Coordinates of all heavy atoms in Angstrom, one line a residue:
M1317 N 19.9 -12.9 8.0 CA 20.3 -11.5 8.3 C 19.0 -10.7 8.2 O 18.2 -10.7 7.3 CB 21.3 -11.0 7.2 CG 21.7 -9.6 7.4 SD 22.8 -9.0 6.1 CE 22.8 -7.3 6.5
D1318 N 18.9 -9.8 9.3 CA 17.8 -9.0 9.3 C 18.0 -7.7 8.6 O 19.2 -7.1 8.7 CB 17.5 -8.7 10.8 CG 16.7 -9.8 11.5 OD1 16.2 -10.7 10.8 OD2 16.7 -9.9 12.7
C1319 N 17.0 -7.2 7.9 CA 17.2 -6.0 7.2 C 16.7 -4.8 8.0 O 15.8 -4.9 8.8 CB 16.5 -6.0 5.9 SG 17.1 -7.2 4.7
T1320 N 17.4 -3.7 7.9 CA 17.0 -2.5 8.7 C 16.7 -1.3 7.7 O 17.2 -1.4 6.6 CB 18.0 -2.1 9.7 OG1 19.3 -1.9 9.0 CG2 18.2 -3.2 10.7
T1321 N 16.0 -0.4 8.2 CA 15.8 0.8 7.4 C 16.2 2.0 8.4 O 16.0 1.9 9.6 CB 14.3 0.9 7.0 OG1 14.2 2.1 6.2 CG2 13.4 0.9 8.1
K1322 N 16.6 3.1 7.7 CA 17.1 4.3 8.5 C 15.8 5.0 9.0 O 14.8 5.1 8.2 CB 17.9 5.3 7.7 CG 19.2 4.7 7.3 CD 20.1 4.5 8.5 CE 21.5 4.0 8.0 NZ 22.2 3.4 9.1
F1323 N 15.8 5.4 10.2 CA 14.6 5.9 10.9 C 14.9 7.0 11.9 O 15.9 6.8 12.6 CB 13.9 4.7 11.6 CG 12.7 5.1 12.4 CD1 11.5 5.3 11.9 CD2 12.9 5.2 13.8 CE1 10.4 5.7 12.6 CE2 11.7 5.6 14.6 CZ 10.5 5.8 14.0
V1324 N 14.4 8.1 11.8 CA 14.8 9.2 12.7 C 14.0 9.1 14.0 O 12.7 9.1 14.0 CB 14.5 10.6 12.1 CG1 14.8 11.8 13.0 CG2 15.3 10.8 10.7
D1325 N 14.7 9.1 15.1 CA 14.1 8.9 16.4 C 13.5 10.3 16.8 O 14.1 11.4 16.7 CB 15.2 8.6 17.4 CG 14.6 8.2 18.8 OD1 13.8 9.1 19.4 OD2 14.9 7.1 19.3
R1326 N 12.2 10.3 17.1 CA 11.5 11.5 17.4 C 11.9 12.2 18.6 O 11.7 13.5 18.8 CB 10.0 11.3 17.4 CG 9.3 11.1 16.1 CD 7.9 11.0 16.2 NE 7.4 10.4 14.9 CZ 6.1 10.2 14.7 NH1 5.2 10.6 15.6 NH2 5.7 9.6 13.6
V1327 N 12.5 11.4 19.6 CA 12.9 12.0 20.8 C 14.2 12.8 20.8 O 14.2 14.0 21.1 CB 13.0 11.0 21.9 CG1 13.4 11.5 23.3 CG2 11.7 10.2 22.0
N1328 N 15.2 12.2 20.2 CA 16.5 12.9 20.2 C 17.0 13.2 18.7 O 18.0 13.8 18.6 CB 17.6 12.0 20.9 CG 17.7 10.6 20.3 OD1 17.4 10.4 19.2 ND2 18.3 9.8 21.0
G1329 N 16.2 12.9 17.8 CA 16.5 13.3 16.4 C 17.7 12.5 15.8 O 18.1 12.9 14.7
Q1330 N 18.0 11.5 16.4 CA 19.1 10.7 15.8 C 18.7 9.7 14.8 O 17.5 9.1 15.0 CB 19.9 10.0 17.0 CG 20.9 10.9 17.7 CD 21.8 10.1 18.6 OE1 21.4 9.1 19.2 NE2 22.9 10.7 18.9
L1331 N 19.5 9.3 13.9 CA 19.2 8.3 12.9 C 19.5 6.9 13.5 O 20.6 6.7 14.0 CB 20.1 8.6 11.7 CG 19.5 8.2 10.3 CD1 18.2 9.0 10.1 CD2 20.5 8.5 9.2
I1332 N 18.5 6.1 13.5 CA 18.7 4.8 14.1 C 18.3 3.7 13.0 O 17.5 4.0 12.1 CB 17.9 4.6 15.4 CG1 16.4 4.9 15.2 CG2 18.5 5.3 16.6 CD1 15.5 4.5 16.3
D1333 N 18.7 2.5 13.2 CA 18.3 1.4 12.3 C 17.1 0.7 12.9 O 17.1 0.3 14.1 CB 19.5 0.4 12.2 CG 20.6 0.9 11.3 OD1 20.2 1.7 10.4 OD2 21.7 0.6 11.6
K1334 N 16.1 0.7 12.1 CA 14.8 0.0 12.5 C 14.6 -1.2 11.7 O 14.9 -1.2 10.5 CB 13.7 1.0 12.3 CG 12.3 0.6 12.7 CD 11.3 1.7 12.3 CE 10.0 1.0 12.1 NZ 9.2 1.8 11.2
P1335 N 14.3 -2.4 12.3 CA 14.2 -3.6 11.5 C 13.0 -3.4 10.5 O 11.9 -2.9 10.8 CB 13.8 -4.6 12.5 CG 14.0 -4.1 13.9 CD 14.1 -2.6 13.7
K1336 N 13.3 -3.9 9.3 CA 12.2 -3.8 8.3 C 11.3 -5.0 8.4 O 11.8 -6.1 8.8 CB 12.9 -4.0 6.9 CG 13.1 -2.7 6.2 CD 13.6 -3.0 4.8 CE 14.5 -1.8 4.3 NZ 15.1 -2.2 3.1
R1337 N 10.1 -4.8 8.2 CA 9.1 -5.8 8.2 C 9.3 -6.8 7.0 O 9.3 -6.3 5.9 CB 7.7 -5.3 8.3 CG 6.7 -6.3 8.4 CD 5.4 -5.7 8.9 NE 4.4 -6.7 8.9 CZ 3.1 -6.4 9.2 NH1 2.7 -5.2 9.4 NH2 2.2 -7.4 9.2
A1338 N 9.4 -8.0 7.2 CA 9.6 -9.0 6.1 C 8.4 -9.9 5.9 O 7.9 -10.3 6.9 CB 10.9 -9.8 6.4
F1339 N 8.0 -10.0 4.7 CA 6.9 -10.9 4.3 C 7.5 -12.1 3.6 O 8.4 -12.0 2.8 CB 5.9 -10.1 3.4 CG 5.3 -9.0 4.1 CD1 5.9 -7.8 4.0 CD2 4.1 -9.1 4.8 CE1 5.4 -6.6 4.6 CE2 3.6 -8.0 5.4 CZ 4.2 -6.8 5.4
D1340 N 6.8 -13.3 3.9 CA 7.3 -14.5 3.2 C 6.9 -14.7 1.8 O 7.6 -15.2 1.0 CB 6.7 -15.7 4.0 CG 7.4 -15.8 5.4 OD1 8.5 -15.5 5.5 OD2 6.7 -16.3 6.3
T1341 N 5.8 -14.0 1.4 CA 5.3 -14.1 0.0 C 5.1 -12.7 -0.5 O 4.8 -11.8 0.2 CB 4.1 -14.9 -0.1 OG1 3.0 -14.2 0.5 CG2 4.1 -16.3 0.5
N1342 N 5.2 -12.7 -1.9 CA 4.9 -11.4 -2.6 C 3.5 -10.9 -2.3 O 3.2 -9.8 -2.2 CB 5.2 -11.7 -4.1 CG 5.4 -10.3 -4.8 OD1 5.7 -9.3 -4.3 ND2 5.1 -10.4 -6.1
E1343 N 2.6 -11.9 -2.3 CA 1.2 -11.6 -2.1 C 0.9 -10.8 -0.8 O 0.2 -9.9 -0.7 CB 0.3 -12.8 -2.2 CG 0.1 -13.4 -3.6 CD 1.3 -14.0 -4.1 OE1 2.2 -14.5 -3.3 OE2 1.4 -14.1 -5.4
Q1344 N 1.6 -11.3 0.3 CA 1.5 -10.7 1.6 C 1.9 -9.3 1.6 O 1.3 -8.4 2.1 CB 2.2 -11.5 2.6 CG 1.5 -12.8 3.1 CD 2.3 -13.7 4.0 OE1 3.4 -13.2 4.3 NE2 1.8 -14.8 4.4
A1345 N 3.1 -9.1 0.9 CA 3.7 -7.8 0.9 C 2.9 -6.8 0.0 O 2.6 -5.7 0.4 CB 5.1 -7.9 0.2
I1346 N 2.3 -7.3 -1.1 CA 1.4 -6.5 -1.9 C 0.2 -6.1 -1.1 O -0.2 -4.9 -1.2 CB 1.1 -7.2 -3.3 CG1 2.3 -7.3 -4.1 CG2 -0.1 -6.5 -4.0 CD1 2.1 -8.2 -5.3
S1347 N -0.5 -7.0 -0.5 CA -1.7 -6.6 0.2 C -1.4 -5.7 1.4 O -2.2 -4.8 1.7 CB -2.5 -7.9 0.8 OG -1.7 -8.5 1.7
H1348 N -0.2 -5.8 2.0 CA 0.2 -4.8 3.0 C 0.4 -3.4 2.4 O 0.0 -2.4 2.9 CB 1.4 -5.2 3.7 CG 1.9 -4.3 4.8 ND1 1.3 -4.3 6.1 CD2 2.9 -3.3 4.9 CE1 1.8 -3.4 6.9 NE2 2.7 -2.8 6.1
A1349 N 1.1 -3.4 1.2 CA 1.4 -2.2 0.5 C 0.0 -1.5 0.1 O -0.1 -0.2 0.3 CB 2.2 -2.4 -0.7
K1350 N -0.9 -2.2 -0.3 CA -2.2 -1.6 -0.7 C -2.9 -1.0 0.5 O -3.5 0.0 0.4 CB -3.1 -2.8 -1.3 CG -2.8 -3.1 -2.7 CD -3.8 -4.1 -3.2 CE -3.5 -4.4 -4.6 NZ -4.3 -5.6 -5.1
M1351 N -2.8 -1.6 1.6 CA -3.4 -1.2 2.8 C -2.8 0.1 3.3 O -3.5 1.1 3.6 CB -3.2 -2.2 3.9 CG -4.1 -2.0 5.2 SD -3.5 -3.1 6.5 CE -2.0 -2.3 7.1
V1352 N -1.4 0.2 3.2 CA -0.7 1.4 3.6 C -1.1 2.5 2.6 O -1.3 3.7 3.0 CB 0.8 1.2 3.6 CG1 1.6 2.5 3.7 CG2 1.2 0.2 4.7
N1353 N -1.1 2.2 1.3 CA -1.4 3.3 0.3 C -2.8 3.8 0.4 O -3.1 4.9 0.0 CB -1.2 2.7 -1.1 CG 0.3 2.6 -1.4 OD1 1.1 3.3 -0.9 ND2 0.6 1.6 -2.3
A1354 N -3.7 3.0 1.1 CA -5.1 3.5 1.2 C -5.4 4.3 2.4 O -6.4 4.9 2.5 CB -6.0 2.2 1.2
L1355 N -4.3 4.5 3.3 CA -4.5 5.3 4.4 C -4.7 6.7 4.0 O -4.1 7.2 3.1 CB -3.3 5.2 5.3 CG -3.0 3.9 5.9 CD1 -1.6 3.9 6.7 CD2 -4.1 3.5 6.9
P1356 N -5.6 7.5 4.6 CA -6.0 8.8 4.1 C -4.9 9.8 4.1 O -4.9 10.7 3.3 CB -7.1 9.3 5.1 CG -7.3 8.2 6.1 CD -6.3 7.0 5.8
D1357 N -3.9 9.8 5.0 CA -2.9 10.8 5.1 C -1.6 10.4 4.4 O -0.5 11.0 4.6 CB -2.6 11.2 6.5 CG -2.1 10.1 7.4 OD1 -2.3 8.9 6.9 OD2 -1.6 10.2 8.4
R1358 N -1.7 9.4 3.6 CA -0.5 8.8 2.9 C -0.1 9.7 1.8 O -0.9 10.1 0.9 CB -0.9 7.4 2.4 CG 0.4 6.5 2.2 CD 1.0 6.1 3.5 NE 2.3 5.8 3.2 CZ 3.3 5.5 4.1 NH1 2.9 5.5 5.3 NH2 4.5 5.2 3.7
K1359 N 1.2 10.1 1.7 CA 1.7 10.9 0.7 C 2.6 10.2 -0.3 O 2.6 10.5 -1.5 CB 2.5 12.1 1.2 CG 1.6 13.1 2.0 CD 2.5 14.3 2.4 CE 1.7 15.3 3.3 NZ 1.3 14.7 4.6
F1360 N 3.3 9.2 0.2 CA 4.2 8.5 -0.7 C 3.7 7.1 -1.0 O 3.1 6.5 -0.1 CB 5.6 8.4 -0.1 CG 6.2 9.7 0.1 CD1 6.2 10.2 1.4 CD2 6.8 10.4 -0.9 CE1 6.8 11.5 1.6 CE2 7.3 11.7 -0.7 CZ 7.4 12.2 0.5
K1361 N 3.8 6.7 -2.2 CA 3.3 5.4 -2.6 C 4.3 4.3 -2.1 O 5.5 4.5 -2.3 CB 3.1 5.3 -4.1 CG 2.4 4.1 -4.6 CD 2.3 4.3 -6.1 CE 1.5 3.1 -6.7 NZ 1.3 3.2 -8.1
V1362 N 3.9 3.3 -1.5 CA 4.8 2.2 -1.2 C 4.5 1.0 -2.1 O 3.4 0.7 -2.6 CB 4.7 1.7 0.2 CG1 5.2 2.8 1.2 CG2 3.3 1.3 0.6
V1363 N 5.6 0.2 -2.4 CA 5.4 -1.0 -3.2 C 6.1 -2.2 -2.6 O 7.0 -2.0 -1.7 CB 6.0 -0.8 -4.7 CG1 5.2 0.3 -5.4 CG2 7.5 -0.3 -4.5
A1364 N 5.7 -3.3 -3.0 CA 6.3 -4.6 -2.5 C 7.6 -4.9 -3.4 O 7.4 -4.7 -4.6 CB 5.3 -5.7 -2.5
Y1365 N 8.6 -5.3 -2.8 CA 9.8 -5.8 -3.6 C 10.4 -6.9 -3.0 O 10.4 -7.0 -1.7 CB 10.7 -4.6 -3.8 CG 11.3 -4.0 -2.6 CD1 12.5 -4.6 -2.1 CD2 10.7 -3.1 -1.8 CE1 13.1 -4.0 -0.9 CE2 11.2 -2.6 -0.6 CZ 12.5 -3.1 -0.2 OH 13.0 -2.6 1.0
K1366 N 11.2 -7.6 -3.8 CA 11.9 -8.8 -3.2 C 13.3 -8.3 -2.8 O 14.0 -7.6 -3.6 CB 12.0 -9.9 -4.3 CG 12.7 -11.1 -3.7 CD 12.4 -12.4 -4.4 CE 13.0 -13.6 -3.6 NZ 12.8 -14.8 -4.1
C1367 N 13.7 -8.7 -1.6 CA 15.0 -8.2 -1.1 C 16.1 -9.1 -1.6 O 16.0 -10.3 -1.5 CB 14.8 -8.2 0.4 SG 16.3 -7.6 1.2
K1368 N 17.2 -8.5 -1.9 CA 18.4 -9.2 -2.4 C 19.2 -9.6 -1.2 O 20.2 -10.4 -1.4 CB 19.2 -8.2 -3.3 CG 18.6 -8.2 -4.7 CD 19.4 -7.1 -5.5 CE 18.7 -6.8 -6.8 NZ 19.1 -5.6 -7.4
T1369 N 18.9 -9.1 -0.1 CA 19.7 -9.4 1.1 C 19.2 -10.6 1.9 O 19.9 -11.6 2.2 CB 19.9 -8.2 2.1 OG1 20.2 -7.1 1.4 CG2 20.8 -8.5 3.2
C1370 N 17.9 -10.6 2.2 CA 17.3 -11.6 3.0 C 16.4 -12.6 2.2 O 15.9 -13.6 2.7 CB 16.5 -11.1 4.2 SG 15.0 -10.2 3.7
F1371 N 16.2 -12.2 0.9 CA 15.4 -13.0 0.0 C 13.9 -13.1 0.4 O 13.2 -14.0 0.0 CB 16.0 -14.4 -0.3 CG 17.3 -14.3 -0.8 CD1 18.5 -14.6 -0.1 CD2 17.5 -13.9 -2.1 CE1 19.7 -14.5 -0.6 CE2 18.8 -13.8 -2.7 CZ 19.9 -14.1 -1.8
K1372 N 13.5 -12.2 1.3 CA 12.0 -12.1 1.6 C 11.5 -10.9 1.0 O 12.2 -10.2 0.1 CB 11.9 -12.0 3.1 CG 12.3 -13.4 3.8 CD 11.7 -13.4 5.3 CE 11.9 -14.8 5.8 NZ 11.1 -15.0 7.0
F1373 N 10.3 -10.5 1.3 CA 9.7 -9.4 0.6 C 9.5 -8.2 1.6 O 9.0 -8.4 2.8 CB 8.3 -9.7 0.1 CG 8.5 -10.8 -1.1 CD1 8.5 -12.1 -0.8 CD2 8.6 -10.4 -2.4 CE1 8.6 -13.1 -1.8 CE2 8.8 -11.4 -3.4 CZ 8.7 -12.7 -3.0
H1374 N 9.8 -7.0 1.2 CA 9.6 -5.9 2.0 C 8.6 -4.9 1.3 O 8.3 -5.0 0.1 CB 10.8 -5.1 2.2 CG 11.9 -5.9 2.9 ND1 11.7 -6.4 4.2 CD2 13.2 -6.2 2.6 CE1 12.8 -7.0 4.5 NE2 13.7 -7.0 3.6
V1375 N 8.1 -3.9 2.0 CA 7.3 -2.9 1.4 C 8.1 -1.6 1.7 O 8.5 -1.3 2.8 CB 5.9 -2.8 2.2 CG1 5.1 -1.6 1.8 CG2 5.1 -4.0 1.8
G1376 N 8.2 -0.8 0.6 CA 8.9 0.4 0.8 C 8.5 1.5 -0.3 O 7.8 1.2 -1.2
R1377 N 9.0 2.7 -0.1 CA 8.6 3.8 -1.0 C 9.3 3.6 -2.3 O 10.5 3.1 -2.4 CB 9.2 5.1 -0.5 CG 8.4 5.6 0.6 CD 9.1 6.9 1.0 NE 8.6 7.4 2.4 CZ 9.1 8.5 2.9 NH1 10.0 9.3 2.3 NH2 8.7 8.9 4.1
N1378 N 8.6 3.9 -3.4 CA 9.3 3.9 -4.7 C 9.5 5.2 -5.3 O 9.9 5.4 -6.4 CB 8.5 3.0 -5.7 CG 7.2 3.6 -6.1 OD1 6.8 4.6 -5.6 ND2 6.6 3.1 -7.2
G1379 N 9.3 6.3 -4.4 CA 9.6 7.6 -4.8 C 8.4 8.3 -5.5 O 8.5 9.5 -5.8
N1380 N 7.4 7.6 -5.7 CA 6.2 8.2 -6.4 C 5.2 8.7 -5.3 O 5.0 8.0 -4.3 CB 5.5 7.2 -7.3 CG 6.3 6.9 -8.5 OD1 7.2 7.7 -8.9 ND2 6.1 5.8 -9.1
N1381 N 4.5 9.8 -5.7 CA 3.4 10.2 -4.8 C 2.1 9.4 -5.3 O 2.0 9.0 -6.4 CB 3.2 11.7 -5.0 CG 4.3 12.5 -4.3 OD1 5.0 12.0 -3.5 ND2 4.3 13.7 -4.7
I1382 N 1.2 9.3 -4.3 CA 0.0 8.6 -4.6 C -0.9 9.7 -5.4 O -1.0 10.8 -4.9 CB -0.7 8.1 -3.4 CG1 0.1 7.1 -2.7 CG2 -2.1 7.6 -3.7 CD1 -0.4 6.7 -1.3
T1383 N -1.4 9.2 -6.5 CA -2.4 10.1 -7.2 C -3.8 10.0 -6.6 O -4.1 9.0 -6.0 CB -2.4 9.8 -8.6 OG1 -2.9 8.5 -8.8 CG2 -1.0 9.9 -9.3
D1384 N -4.5 11.1 -6.7 CA -5.9 11.1 -6.2 C -6.7 10.0 -6.9 O -7.6 9.4 -6.3 CB -6.6 12.5 -6.5 CG -6.0 13.5 -5.5 OD1 -5.4 13.0 -4.4 OD2 -6.1 14.6 -5.8
K1385 N -6.4 9.8 -8.1 CA -7.1 8.8 -8.9 C -7.0 7.4 -8.3 O -7.9 6.6 -8.1 CB -6.6 8.7 -10.4 CG -7.5 8.1 -11.4 CD -6.9 8.2 -12.7 CE -7.5 7.2 -13.7 NZ -6.9 7.2 -15.0
E1386 N -5.7 7.1 -7.9 CA -5.5 5.8 -7.3 C -6.2 5.7 -5.9 O -6.6 4.6 -5.6 CB -3.9 5.6 -7.1 CG -3.3 5.2 -8.4 CD -1.8 5.1 -8.3 OE1 -1.2 6.1 -7.8 OE2 -1.2 4.2 -8.7
K1387 N -6.2 6.7 -5.2 CA -6.8 6.7 -3.9 C -8.3 6.4 -4.0 O -8.9 5.7 -3.3 CB -6.7 8.1 -3.2 CG -5.4 8.1 -2.4 CD -5.5 9.1 -1.3 CE -4.2 9.1 -0.5 NZ -4.2 8.8 0.8
D1388 N -8.9 7.1 -5.0 CA -10.3 6.9 -5.3 C -10.6 5.5 -5.6 O -11.6 4.9 -5.1 CB -10.7 7.6 -6.6 CG -11.1 9.1 -6.2 OD1 -11.0 9.5 -5.0 OD2 -11.3 9.9 -7.1
K1389 N -9.7 4.8 -6.4 CA -9.9 3.5 -6.8 C -9.9 2.5 -5.5 O -10.7 1.6 -5.5 CB -8.8 3.1 -7.7 CG -9.0 1.8 -8.5 CD -7.9 1.5 -9.5 CE -6.5 1.3 -8.9 NZ -5.5 1.3 -9.9
W1390 N -9.0 2.7 -4.7 CA -8.8 1.8 -3.5 C -9.9 2.1 -2.5 O -10.3 1.2 -1.7 CB -7.4 2.1 -2.9 CG -6.4 1.5 -3.7 CD1 -6.4 0.4 -4.4 CD2 -5.1 2.0 -4.0 NE1 -5.3 0.1 -5.1 CE2 -4.4 1.1 -4.9 CE3 -4.4 3.2 -3.5 CZ2 -3.1 1.4 -5.3 CZ3 -3.1 3.4 -4.0 CH2 -2.5 2.5 -4.9
N1391 N -10.4 3.3 -2.4 CA -11.3 3.7 -1.3 C -12.8 3.2 -1.7 O -13.6 3.2 -0.9 CB -11.3 5.1 -1.0 CG -10.0 5.4 -0.2 OD1 -9.4 4.6 0.5 ND2 -9.5 6.6 -0.3
K1392 N -13.0 3.1 -3.0 CA -14.4 2.7 -3.4 C -14.7 1.3 -3.0 O -13.9 0.3 -3.2 CB -14.5 2.9 -4.9 CG -15.1 4.1 -5.3 CD -15.2 4.3 -6.8 CE -15.3 5.7 -7.2 NZ -14.9 6.0 -8.5
P1393 N -15.9 1.1 -2.4 CA -16.3 -0.3 -2.2 C -16.5 -1.1 -3.4 O -17.0 -0.5 -4.4 CB -17.6 -0.1 -1.3 CG -18.1 1.2 -1.6 CD -16.9 2.1 -2.0
K1394 N -16.2 -2.3 -3.5 CA -16.4 -3.1 -4.7 C -17.8 -3.6 -4.8 O -18.4 -3.9 -3.8 CB -15.4 -4.3 -4.6 CG -14.0 -3.9 -5.1 CD -13.0 -5.1 -4.9 CE -11.6 -4.6 -5.1 NZ -10.7 -5.5 -4.4
G1395 N -18.3 -3.7 -6.0 CA -19.6 -4.3 -6.3 C -20.7 -3.3 -6.1 O -21.8 -3.8 -6.1
F1396 N -20.5 -2.0 -6.0 CA -21.5 -1.1 -5.8 C -21.6 -0.1 -6.9 O -22.1 1.0 -6.7 CB -21.4 -0.4 -4.4 CG -21.7 -1.3 -3.3 CD1 -20.8 -2.0 -2.6 CD2 -23.1 -1.6 -2.9 CE1 -21.0 -2.8 -1.6 CE2 -23.4 -2.4 -1.9 CZ -22.3 -3.1 -1.2
T1397 N -21.1 -0.4 -8.1 CA -21.1 0.5 -9.2 C -22.6 0.6 -9.8 O -23.1 -0.4 -10.1 CB -20.2 0.1 -10.3 OG1 -18.9 -0.2 -9.6 CG2 -19.9 1.2 -11.3
I1398 N -23.0 1.8 -9.8 CA -24.4 2.1 -10.4 C -24.2 2.4 -11.8 O -23.6 3.4 -12.2 CB -25.1 3.2 -9.6 CG1 -25.4 2.7 -8.2 CG2 -26.5 3.4 -10.3 CD1 -25.8 3.9 -7.3
V1399 N -24.7 1.6 -12.7 CA -24.5 1.8 -14.1 C -25.7 2.4 -14.8 O -25.6 2.8 -15.9 CB -24.1 0.4 -14.9 CG1 -22.7 0.0 -14.4 CG2 -25.1 -0.6 -14.6
G1400 N -26.8 2.5 -14.1 CA -27.9 3.1 -14.7 C -29.2 2.4 -14.2 O -29.1 1.3 -13.6
K1401 N -30.3 3.1 -14.3 CA -31.5 2.6 -13.8 C -32.2 1.6 -14.9 O -32.1 1.8 -16.0 CB -32.5 3.7 -13.5 CG -32.2 4.4 -12.2 CD -33.2 5.5 -11.9 CE -32.8 6.2 -10.6 NZ -33.6 7.4 -10.4
I1402 N -32.8 0.6 -14.3 CA -33.5 -0.3 -15.2 C -35.0 0.1 -15.3 O -35.6 0.3 -14.3 CB -33.4 -1.8 -14.6 CG1 -31.9 -2.2 -14.6 CG2 -34.2 -2.8 -15.5 CD1 -31.7 -3.5 -13.8
D1403 N -35.4 0.2 -16.5 CA -36.8 0.6 -16.7 C -37.6 -0.7 -16.8 O -37.5 -1.5 -17.8 CB -36.9 1.4 -18.1 CG -38.3 1.9 -18.3 OD1 -39.2 1.6 -17.5 OD2 -38.5 2.6 -19.3
L1404 N -38.3 -1.0 -15.8 CA -39.0 -2.3 -15.7 C -40.1 -2.4 -16.7 O -40.5 -3.5 -17.1 CB -39.6 -2.5 -14.2 CG -38.6 -2.6 -13.1 CD1 -39.4 -2.6 -11.8 CD2 -37.9 -4.0 -13.3
N1405 N -40.6 -1.3 -17.2 CA -41.7 -1.4 -18.2 C -41.2 -2.0 -19.5 O -42.0 -2.6 -20.3 CB -42.2 0.1 -18.6 CG -42.9 0.7 -17.4 OD1 -43.6 0.0 -16.7 ND2 -42.7 2.0 -17.2
K1406 N -39.9 -2.0 -19.7 CA -39.4 -2.7 -21.0 C -39.5 -4.2 -21.0 O -39.5 -4.8 -22.0 CB -37.9 -2.3 -21.1 CG -37.7 -0.9 -21.7 CD -36.2 -0.6 -21.8 CE -36.0 0.8 -22.2 NZ -34.7 1.2 -22.2
F1407 N -39.7 -4.7 -19.8 CA -39.8 -6.2 -19.6 C -41.2 -6.7 -19.7 O -41.4 -7.9 -19.5 CB -39.0 -6.6 -18.3 CG -37.6 -6.3 -18.4 CD1 -37.1 -5.2 -17.7 CD2 -36.7 -7.1 -19.1 CE1 -35.7 -4.9 -17.8 CE2 -35.4 -6.8 -19.2 CZ -34.9 -5.6 -18.5
K1408 N -42.1 -5.9 -19.8 CA -43.6 -6.3 -19.9 C -43.9 -7.0 -21.2 O -43.4 -6.6 -22.2 CB -44.5 -5.2 -19.6 CG -44.6 -5.0 -18.0 CD -45.5 -3.8 -17.8 CE -45.6 -3.5 -16.3 NZ -46.3 -2.4 -15.9
Ligands
LIG2169 ZN1 15.6 -7.9 3.4

């Protein structure tokens, strides 16, 4: 059974059923959720969850807004944290 989500058609304003994207694994759904949450204009946080209907994984809103702190965390490149300068004279 395919899962759907309610979606407002931009052309006529009617509520239509849009098929939900299903992921086979939790990991795939989580990585998709992270990508969506990292988008610059994102206002609502999305999370991965296991569906009770199709037993696959979907990504959906959990009702929380994304905090600026979380955005900072996701947007920062990994491995470039500057912790301080090394004084080379200490090693002589
Ligand atoms: Zn489902």
Side-chain angles (χ1 to χ4, degrees):
M1317 180 186 170
D1318 284 341
C1319 294
T1320 56
T1321 184
K1322 295 290 179 202
F1323 176 80
V1324 179
D1325 192 302
R1326 281 184 200 187
V1327 180
N1328 57 21
Q1330 281 190 332
L1331 212 55
I1332 52 169
D1333 284 326
K1334 186 182 152 203
K1336 258 187 214 173
R1337 187 163 174 186
F1339 297 89
D1340 290 328
T1341 68
N1342 197 25
E1343 284 73 24
Q1344 283 173 3
I1346 287 171
S1347 66
H1348 182 78
K1350 279 183 183 169
M1351 193 192 78
V1352 171
N1353 285 331
L1355 294 173
D1357 60 346
R1358 202 71 207 172
K1359 289 185 186 70
F1360 300 102
K1361 191 175 181 178
V1362 293
V1363 290
Y1365 63 93
K1366 184 158 190 178
C1367 182
K1368 286 173 188 161
T1369 308
C1370 69
F1371 302 105
K1372 290 198 173 194
F1373 296 89
H1374 300 301
V1375 168
R1377 287 181 194 178
N1378 71 349
N1380 291 336
N1381 291 342
I1382 298 173
T1383 62
D1384 288 341
K1385 201 178 161 189
E1386 283 174 311
K1387 274 203 178 243
D1388 276 359
K1389 190 173 71 188
W1390 289 321
N1391 289 334
K1392 259 179 206 158
K1394 278 173 190 158
F1396 288 97
T1397 313
I1398 298 167
V1399 290
K1401 284 182 182 170
I1402 296 168
D1403 187 356
L1404 291 174
N1405 291 324
K1406 283 181 184 168
F1407 296 100
K1408 275 180 184 172

